[in-house]
Amino acid sequence: MPPAIEADGLVKRFGATTALAGASLSAAEGTVLGVLGPNGAGKTTATRVLATLLAPDEGRAVVGGYNVITEPHRVRSLIGLTGQYAGVDEALTGTENLVLIARLLGQGRAAAKARAADLLGQFGLSDAAGRAARTYSGGMRRRLDLAASLVGRPRILFLDEPTTGLDPASRNELWGMVRRLTDDGVTVLLTTQYLEEADQLADDIVVIDRGAVVATGTPDDLKARAGGAVLQMRPTDPGQVAVVTRIAGELAGSTPTVDQDTVSVPAGDDALMPAVVRRLDDVGVRLAELTLRRATLDEVFLALTGRHAVPGSSTDSDSTTDRELV
Amino acid sequence: MTLDRTLAGRPAADLPAAPPPPSRRATPAQWASQSLTMAWRSLVQIKHNPSELLDLSIQPIMFVLLFTFVFGGAIGGSTDAYLQFSLGGLIAQNALFLTVYTATGLATDLQKGTFDRFRSLPIARSAPLSGRIMGDVVRQLWSLVVLLAVGVALGFRITTSPLAVLAAFGLLVAFTVAFSWTSVLLGVLARDPEKVQIYGFTVLFPLTFASNAFAPTQTMPDWLQAWVSINPVTRLADALRGLLVGGPVAANVVATLLWGVAFAAVFGPLAVWALRTRV
């Protein structure tokens, strides 16, 4: 079966900036393709090209069997789009927003109202159905926006950073909705800055940077290539950083990185943490912080590309560490 | 909580029959219905924000009252005589001010991402625009009725036929729809509703005041008279006066319509180009 989404060598320039530098990707029907990359990597541009909002300078893209450049109207009748900024009309109520889309898609008045009520119910917005969307919380707006993109029962759904700015509860809720959609056979292309999100939802991941694909694979593939988990330690006595670095390096079999007083080392297997703790205890080192965490997007990037995702991001991870300690 | 079942994702062999391919483009009938839906969208919000109706009414009423009672005696000799002269001008000015609504609405849609949502739907390309302009025509008509009603209450006398009044309505709508193209261009280029207000009024205040809308041309300096005589606002105001209280009509109506054609011919393609490249 041909893929639901297929892009080949997409190039898009905005003046001197190259937003897409020959990106290719493909999503099989009924799967979730995660497009992972830092801010400005070209994720939104790629989504806009695939959703027929933007014509590429070079390359071709086929969505649902139709070419996005030569048959955009046909592509549009198969897709749903939820952008980074919720495209709801804030002056209208939840019901009116959905009725508007349904009427535009040619549904009769009664059918449009029924469809709106049905979707508002599914997204837990029935109580707010008669209120103007400007009174909604950020999470409610996103849900309304997602509902709006589903009015036409799309076979292919584009979600551009759907959880950016959402609290964890709303994010989990949205993840659940995406899973239910794919259970029903909808193909989803989801862009995200979060490795965890791609890991949770995607069947396949495309990592893009500076408009080009730097890696593709299943979440497990990528995590394996990126080193999976990271063990992070900060001795109570900053003078013992050298000792911690030496012991962790010996046991992990790789060179740890040191940011200020924090020592990080890729944790290849579960046995590393207890082994490190035992040895450090033996030599009398006390730890103020000991964390086993997933590799961050930046570390995945570092592992995949040999450089940081965002210039100066190593200092960013420092400040994250500081915040975690407070 | 279940989401809709779709047939996508099942092997093609399981389907009873392949669904017919979606159409290549929207038909004219679909365009019309989609535009009406968009117009509904632009007007239904008044239900939740009735103060907008007040905005549409208060400013014209205020202008009528201020001009009539503050300047009326000085310019026209008496407030009654002045009102017969100025109401046509007030209607013309108010109509041009109202076209800014088209720009602010469009800029809001572009800024909030609503326009992207519309562009991702299988609808006629122009429906979001034509629907918005239809909605703004309704605003125009509402405002026109308010102005005429307040004018009549203050002593304005329509001395022509109902047909001529109807023609005045038609001319005003035709000219403002054509003039709306400037507003569409402004909305796309500014992208920010607040900037739209500033730019819009920076252009529209001098354009509408440097006309014979509020004061007869004779006392103005020569260079200004030259401009005022060709200013579209002058020709529209004179045409409306002719249609409402009598006087020369044909030349002014033709000049107004030619201005309309000119605005549409210049700003229409520019606005479409801006929409294609900037969005």
Side-chain angles (χ1 to χ4, degrees), chain A residues 225-311:
Chain A
R225 284 159 67 184
V230 174
L231 184 63
Q232 199 170 289
M233 298 143 286
R234 190 168 64 84
T236 313
D237 173 7
Q240 293 178 320
V241 167
V243 185
V244 175
T245 307
R246 183 175 53 77
I247 290 173
E250 254 170 45
L251 292 171
S254 61
T255 317
T257 55
V258 183
D259 269 344
Q260 290 180 359
D261 300 336
T262 304
V263 179
S264 302
V265 67
D269 65 273
D270 310 348
L272 181 69
M273 184 150 102
V276 167
V277 171
R278 241 176 287 129
R279 278 282 294 280
L280 291 177
D281 194 35
D282 288 347
V283 297
V285 172
R286 298 180 64 179
L287 293 176
E289 187 206 340
L290 177 69
T291 321
L292 186 65
R293 58 167 175 78
R294 282 175 191 277
T296 63
L297 174 61
D298 190 50
E299 282 155 340
V300 172
F301 259 80
L302 197 57
L304 293 173
T305 67
R307 60 184 178 76
H308 287 284
V310 188

Side-chain angles (χ1 to χ4, degrees), chain A residues 50 87 95 121 145 189 229 242:
Chain A
L50 293 169
T95 301
D145 193 48
L189 183 146

Side-chain angles (χ1 to χ4, degrees), chain B residues 121-139:
Chain B
L121 295 174
I123 59 173
R125 300 273 74 190
S126 58
L129 217 53
S130 47
R132 174 161 293 290
I133 290 174
M134 282 183 201
D136 290 338
V137 164
V138 174
R139 292 186 167 85

